[in-house]
Amino acid sequence: MAVETKLHLIGNAHLDPVWLWRWQEGYAEIKATFRSALDRLKEYPDFVFTCACAAYYKWVEENAPEMFAEIKQRVAEGRWVITGGWWIQPDCNLPSGESFARHSLYGQRYFMKKFQVMARVGYNVDSFGHHGMMPQLLKQSGMDYYVFMRPGAHEKTLPHDLFWWESEDGSRVMTFRLADSYGNWASNGMEAKIMSHRAMAVASGHAFMSFYGVGNHGGGPTIQNIKLIRELGQRPDMDGIQFSSPNQYFSEMRKMAPDIPVVKDEMQMHAVGCYSTHSESKAANRRVEHQMLTAEKWSSLANLMRGLPYPVEALNRAWENVMFNHFHDIMGGCSIKEAFDDVRDFYGEAFSIGAKAINAALQKLSWSIHTMKPGVTSLSKEKDWQLWEQDDLGSPLVVFNPLSWEVEAPIEINKKLAGVTDAAGRPLPIQTIRASRTNTSDKWDTLIKGRIPAFGYQVFWVYRDKTFDAEQSTAAVRAEGCLLENSKLCVELDPATGYIRRMIDKLNGGHNVLLGDGAVPIVIDENHSDTWGHGLTQYRDELGRFGNAEMKVLETGPLRATIRVTSYYGTSVLRQDISLFNDSSDVHVKVRLDWREQHKMLKLAFPVNVEQSLAVFEIPYGFIERPANGNEVPGQMWVNLSGSKPGTTDSVGPSTFGLSLINDAKYGYDVLDNELRMTMVRSPIYADHFGERDEQVEFMDQGVQEFVYLLSPHIGSWQNSGVVRKAYELHNLLHQVWETYHEGDLPQISEGIVISSDNVIAVAFKPAEDGNGWILRCQELYGREAKTEISLAALKRNWQSTFGKCEIKTFFIPSIPHNPIMEVNFLEM
């Protein structure tokens, strides 16, 4: 064996703060494991310990400060090595791209503040897959290396266990896949493991890593582990093994510069059932991720324009809750039932914090808008009501848009109105719709459609009795029997099954979007699956379908028409309110599912009328094309299936056609040939790995859940479909504030941001962590280079920037007006 080290022994403790136990027990085990590691460091001067997850260190800092002081000393010595610069070891498919940015921001800055070091190596050894944009996110987080275990060699073939991993934007990180486990549980198997890994190192011609230490419930390297390694190191046939760390390993590899392959792909698939287990926590995650970004945006604007204190401590606490719930055994839905009670509490606190921040900011802004009108002479609340009730001078309703582009969207106003105008006094079409309240005779609300400027607002004037001759859209919409129709789309439902029989795209020569029935609820047998879906790649064992449909026209009017379809399977009930808006080619569906099945899955299927199909899925801060082979795969807000229209051969030109499916709560999908399916629900047993299935077990997702999905047909490629903006609009509903009459220095309509390129959006706007400026994070959406101009009105700043394909850029805008704007990474460095 060569003189240089060939086998790096990595003493670590993979710690699950939640899994078959609740977080309080994980808290205790983390302290016990850290104490054990410190004792081993004291007993064995050559021993090195590696550990990730900033959240664990913060727990110890708060609860055992004397032990934390010891850890600081060992970190300074270089014998306690910090890896994985994230808040926790998250699931690496389901959190949003911006959530990964926050894991890095809060994790790495915590390590720097407390230990004066940052993680150089991404460490996520137990997650169930790793999305394809990970290299860019790691590089933006100050990490040039990555180590993972899943998928294993039996799940994904790689040309080598050490390779350059490249994402779509061209970022690369040196990556190592563990040959087997991140730890050891049987002491008599450790020697064989070390010998096996040493042989791999010899065969490859360069060093390997071998991880050891008791994991999951904690423990870390044991005295027996360390003694065995020392004994093996004395044997002449076992030269070249030593206590080490991932930092040391990758440093050696960088110097050696071995000839290793470049892999441009995602690291998938393991535990495919985890994309759809425990619907409640997944829906809550999607909702709170968007709410946190909205809270930051409006809090920042209110601070800039009105001096409202930014709620930094509260929002940081909320982000910590959200990031903790990203832990892979939580986000993957494979923990015990009691753990998800805690998950609900963590999300609940984050929701509450975000809602309070949004309300405070919007109320502060709206209170400063000039809402006085001719005929108003008093500012008293009594006079306000008089003007509303008697004089009918109108009441101001301020509607806010948190997104970085102008949004035209339906707005539901919780009063029955006779007329509405925009800020310029132009009358708007209105529609009376059913309210949710039933305890009064006034059970009606009002629907309008309004345009709200980018990251801005508009005041609408609403009238109880005054009517206007609003210009009606030529794109009328109607619901009649089993038919929904407007000028762009005709949707015909099957009266017996409730399925979509036809979806005719009028703008595309009457092309039928679907090849056969669509929105078909298919029940899948899952008795052969555990909670994780271990060993599976597909869910195809159909048991039956929802049917015996009942239909009812809920509403029809100038703006929206809705048919309610209720169908049944066993004791489960599926209700879908299928809506068309005027002047829209999107089908909007609000789902209420009362699910009572056990060891079953429900999928919603859409056969798309295309050939040479291409399936593209949103992944964190990017997208990926996958084969249409029927495998269960993860996706985020949207998936698109495109191809050539039947009878044509051009799959990229004018004959290209497709369908986007957007939803606000689900993450599991599959595409087989031209059929796109979304996984709506699974009902395995909590934390079941084919254990004792008796009458005491409890099944997941029993009862009622609600979510929304959109069907958006389009001509041309998916990049030209507007799918990403539509997805953000579905998740970021417009906010409303009822105002009174008052003086103010803000206008009744305002635009906050301008981005000149359609394929660049702003995702986050917040104060810089160092308090000396502002952070704007932007994303290129479609894999197309862009030169764009960006303008932020509140900061009176304008600048230009060039984006590479799929590039994420973070701009630091100094508080001092003439200081230059700089590009920084996720860490704001």
Side-chain angles (χ1 to χ4, degrees):
M1 203 169 188
V3 176
E4 67 267 17
T5 299
K6 288 294 183 182
L7 190 62
H8 293 248
L9 277 300
I10 313 298
N12 79 119
H14 170 65
L15 293 157
D16 291 333
V18 176
W19 180 31
L20 305 180
W21 45 84
R22 299 173 76 171
W23 69 269
Q24 295 90 338
E25 185 174 339
Y27 194 117
E29 288 305 318
I30 284 163
K31 289 196 301 180
T33 299
F34 280 17
R35 180 68 266 163
S36 175
L38 288 168
D39 290 344
R40 303 293 83 76
L41 288 166
K42 187 182 299 182
E43 294 161 354
Y44 300 98
D46 51 349
F47 170 62
V48 179
F49 180 66
T50 293
C51 193
C53 303
Y56 304 166
Y57 291 86
K58 187 175 182 182
W59 280 353
V60 173
E61 179 189 16
E62 293 172 344
N63 198 256
E66 69 291 338
M67 187 160 62
F68 191 75
E70 289 186 64
I71 295 172
K72 290 180 72 173
Q73 178 184 346
R74 296 304 186 185
V75 171
E77 294 172 355
R79 296 182 57 211
W80 184 301
V81 179
I82 290 172
T83 57
W86 290 333
W87 195 250
I88 209 81
Q89 288 188 64
D91 179 276
C92 286
N93 283 312
L94 309 185
S96 69
E98 185 59 25
S99 286
F100 282 97
R102 300 313 171 98
H103 276 276
S104 303
L105 175 69
Y106 296 119
Q108 290 281 51
R109 290 183 74 97
Y110 177 85
F111 289 139
M112 177 56 74
K113 180 179 179 180
K114 301 299 179 179
F115 302 104
Q116 291 74 56
V117 299
M118 287 190 182
R120 296 161 49 203
V121 178
Y123 170 101
N124 210 14
V125 296
D126 199 28
S127 290
F128 309 141
H130 310 262
H131 66 81
M133 287 299 292
M134 191 69 76
Q136 182 177 186
L137 303 190
L138 289 164
K139 295 288 284 188
Q140 294 258 12
S141 305
M143 292 181 277
D144 296 320
Y145 313 102
Y146 195 55
V147 58
F148 73 98
M149 182 180 71
R150 298 191 175 100
H154 63 293
E155 296 162 320
K156 183 177 183 64
T157 300
L158 291 172
H160 201 283
D161 285 328
L162 180 67
F163 57 95
W164 290 107
W165 188 13
E166 182 176 304
S167 52
E168 190 67 27
D169 69 300
S171 298
R172 286 185 183 181
V173 290
M174 186 180 284
T175 301
F176 182 85
R177 178 170 69 179
L178 303 185
D180 43 47
S181 172
Y182 47 76
N184 58 285
W185 291 268
S187 59
N188 58 358
M190 184 173 171
E191 180 175 349
K193 176 180 177 179
I194 291 174
M195 294 180 69
S196 171
H197 291 176
R198 181 178 177 276
M200 294 178 186
V202 172
S204 66
H206 61 73
F208 258 54
M209 285 191 282
S210 182
F211 281 57
Y212 70 97
V214 180
N216 291 352
H217 200 252
T222 66
I223 294 173
Q224 190 176 15
N225 295 157
I226 297 169
K227 286 183 175 180
L228 174 62
I229 293 169
R230 284 182 148 193
E231 291 170 2
L232 291 174
Q234 299 301 314
R235 287 169 39 177
D237 62 332
M238 290 293 287
D239 63 314
I241 67 171
Q242 73 169 46
F243 296 107
S244 188
S245 69
N247 288 9
Q248 184 176 344
Y249 172 76
F250 283 113
S251 292
E252 284 194 17
M253 291 300 97
R254 203 64 181 259
K255 291 177 183 177
M256 291 176 61
D259 183 18
I260 56 176
V262 176
V263 178
K264 188 176 180 180
D265 196 2
E266 58 185 345
M267 299 298 130
Q268 309 283 18
M269 305 288 175
H270 176 88
V272 297
C274 287
Y275 313 144
S276 46
T277 42
H278 207 269
S279 295
E280 178 189 355
S281 58
K282 286 179 169 57
N285 177 71
R286 183 80 65 78
R287 178 182 163 205
V288 76
E289 285 179 327
H290 286 275
Q291 187 191 50
M292 289 300 301
L293 297 179
T294 298
E296 289 179 345
K297 291 173 187 175
W298 292 130
S299 295
S300 297
L301 194 64
N303 176 265
L304 277 166
M305 299 181 67
R306 299 291 100 187
L308 182 70
Y310 185 89
V312 58
E313 292 185 6
L315 291 178
N316 284 353
R317 184 168 71 253
W319 269 116
E320 288 179 12
N321 285 352
V322 175
M323 292 185 297
F324 185 81
N325 280 351
H326 288 154
F327 182 71
H328 51 267
D329 288 323
I330 296 174
M331 195 80 264
C334 50
S335 294
I336 58 173
K337 179 178 182 293
E338 297 84 351
F340 289 104
D341 295 334
D342 301 323
V343 170
R344 184 183 302 116
D345 292 343
F346 288 145
Y347 277 134
E349 183 182 26
F351 280 134
S352 178
I353 290 170
K356 290 176 181 177
I358 291 169
N359 180 67
L362 297 188
Q363 296 269 2
K364 189 72 172 179
L365 291 166
S366 68
W367 192 250
S368 300
I369 299 171
H370 186 81
T371 55
M372 298 296 287
K373 299 185 68 174
V376 178
T377 59
S378 169
L379 303 182
S380 70
K381 189 65 179 176
E382 180 181 354
K383 183 64 175 176
D384 284 348
W385 281 110
Q386 180 183 348
L387 294 170
W388 167 260
E389 294 288 342
Q390 298 176 12
D391 302 333
D392 204 12
L393 292 180
S395 185
L397 177 70
V398 191
V399 182
F400 292 86
N401 167 26
L403 299 173
S404 63
W405 58 91
E406 181 185 71
V407 170
E408 182 180 22
I411 303 167
E412 295 186 6
I413 304 173
N414 66 333
K415 284 182 175 60
K416 185 177 181 181
L417 304 170
V420 179
T421 71
D422 63 13
R426 290 183 291 263
L428 300 178
I430 67 173
Q431 180 176 331
T432 299
I433 59 174
R434 181 69 161 83
S436 60
R437 56 190 177 274
T438 59
N439 61 333
T440 69
S441 58
D442 180 18
K443 62 180 181 180
W444 303 104
D445 285 344
T446 302
L447 179 70
I448 66 171
K449 184 183 285 186
R451 286 183 178 272
I452 315 300
F455 192 28
Y457 62 82
Q458 178 168 194
V459 175
F460 294 89
W461 289 90
V462 303
Y463 299 85
R464 191 189 64 172
D465 299 315
K466 184 183 291 187
T467 60
F468 300 91
D469 292 327
E471 181 179 346
Q472 298 294 326
S473 169
T474 57
V477 59
R478 68 184 180 97
E480 183 178 318
C482 300
L483 194 70
L484 285 163
E485 188 172 13
N486 64 15
S487 63
K488 297 183 178 180
L489 206 62
C490 179
V491 178
E492 181 184 348
L493 306 176
D494 188 300
T497 63
Y499 309 155
I500 299 177
R501 180 184 288 170
R502 295 190 306 154
M503 185 186 299
I504 304 300
D505 184 353
K506 296 182 178 181
L507 300 180
N508 193 18
H511 180 65
N512 190 1
V513 177
L514 302 174
L515 186 66
D517 289 341
V520 180
I522 301 174
V523 180
I524 305 292
D525 182 15
E526 271 220 273
N527 197 53
H528 58 291
S529 177
D530 65 0
T531 308
W532 291 259
H534 279 131
L536 299 178
T537 57
Q538 300 183 351
Y539 291 98
R540 288 278 157 189
D541 297 335
E542 182 176 336
L543 289 172
R545 303 183 175 192
F546 277 70
N548 300 318
E550 301 167 359
M551 289 192 191
K552 179 181 181 181
V553 175
L554 288 188
E555 56 186 4
T556 186
L559 296 178
R560 184 173 69 191
T562 301
I563 295 177
R564 172 167 290 176
V565 179
T566 306
S567 55
Y568 304 88
Y569 178 90
T571 57
S572 298
V573 182
L574 173 64
R575 191 179 79 192
Q576 299 189 78
D577 292 348
I578 305 174
S579 298
L580 260 187
F581 290 88
N582 72 315
D583 200 31
S584 173
S585 58
D586 299 334
V587 180
H588 184 284
V589 186
K590 183 178 180 180
V591 178
R592 184 183 189 275
L593 173 65
D594 187 356
W595 180 251
R596 303 292 172 178
E597 310 307 313
Q598 299 177 352
H599 278 313
K600 295 182 180 69
M601 169 186 278
L602 180 62
K603 281 184 168 287
L604 203 60
F606 300 90
V608 184
N609 191 12
V610 295
E611 297 174 344
Q612 301 173 280
S613 57
L614 172 71
V616 179
F617 301 78
E618 186 195 26
I619 60 176
Y621 264 141
F623 59 86
I624 192 167
E625 178 185 337
R626 295 184 177 121
N629 58 11
N631 287 353
E632 188 79 0
V633 296
Q636 300 222 320
M637 296 185 288
W638 59 269
V639 58
N640 180 276
L641 186 63
S642 299
S644 58
K645 289 193 289 187
T648 67
T649 58
D650 185 358
S651 62
V652 295
S655 64
T656 304
F657 182 83
L659 177 69
S660 297
L661 172 61
I662 305 166
N663 82 88
D664 69 350
K666 304 300 175 182
Y667 293 90
Y669 307 90
D670 75 80
V671 178
L672 181 60
D673 298 328
N674 67 333
E675 184 181 63
L676 164 63
R677 303 194 307 177
M678 174 177 65
T679 303
M680 298 174 70
V681 66
R682 292 184 65 217
S683 52
I685 299 167
Y686 281 93
D688 166 52
H689 191 39
F690 300 108
E692 184 176 354
R693 295 177 171 179
D694 58 19
E695 70 282 356
Q696 299 293 327
V697 301
E698 293 196 53
F699 290 82
M700 286 189 177
D701 283 343
Q702 301 296 289
V704 174
Q705 58 173 283
E706 296 181 339
F707 64 96
V708 174
Y709 69 89
L710 253 62
L711 300 174
S712 182
H714 63 87
I715 303 170
S717 71
W718 72 270
Q719 289 98 331
N720 296 328
S721 68
V723 60
V724 178
R725 290 191 173 193
K726 289 181 180 183
Y728 273 98
E729 290 171 19
L730 177 65
H731 288 79
N732 293 271
L733 302 182
L734 303 175
H735 293 274
Q736 304 176 25
V737 176
W738 283 95
E739 264 306 339
T740 182
Y741 306 101
H742 49 64
E743 303 280 355
D745 61 356
L746 295 182
Q748 292 189 14
I749 186 168
S750 176
E751 181 179 53
I753 192 171
V754 176
I755 300 177
S756 63
S757 298
D758 290 340
N759 59 325
V760 175
I761 64 170
V763 179
F765 179 57
K766 59 180 281 294
E769 294 297 305
D770 292 335
N772 56 348
W774 300 88
I775 293 294
L776 182 74
R777 185 145 38 246
C778 297
Q779 172 194 6
E780 194 285 312
L781 303 177
Y782 297 125
R784 297 169 173 171
E785 294 183 358
K787 184 175 183 179
T788 187
E789 295 184 5
I790 302 172
S791 173
L792 271 171
L795 291 171
K796 299 179 181 178
R797 291 280 200 154
N798 300 274
W799 69 98
Q800 291 185 341
S801 184
T802 300
F803 285 75
K805 66 175 187 175
C806 300
E807 186 176 11
I808 308 155
K809 284 198 173 185
T810 304
F811 299 100
F812 168 68
I813 308 155
S815 296
I816 300 174
H818 300 295
N819 283 6
I821 294 169
M822 297 182 293
E823 292 183 18
V824 295
N825 61 16
F826 288 164
L827 314 182
E828 303 178 12
M829 297 176 180

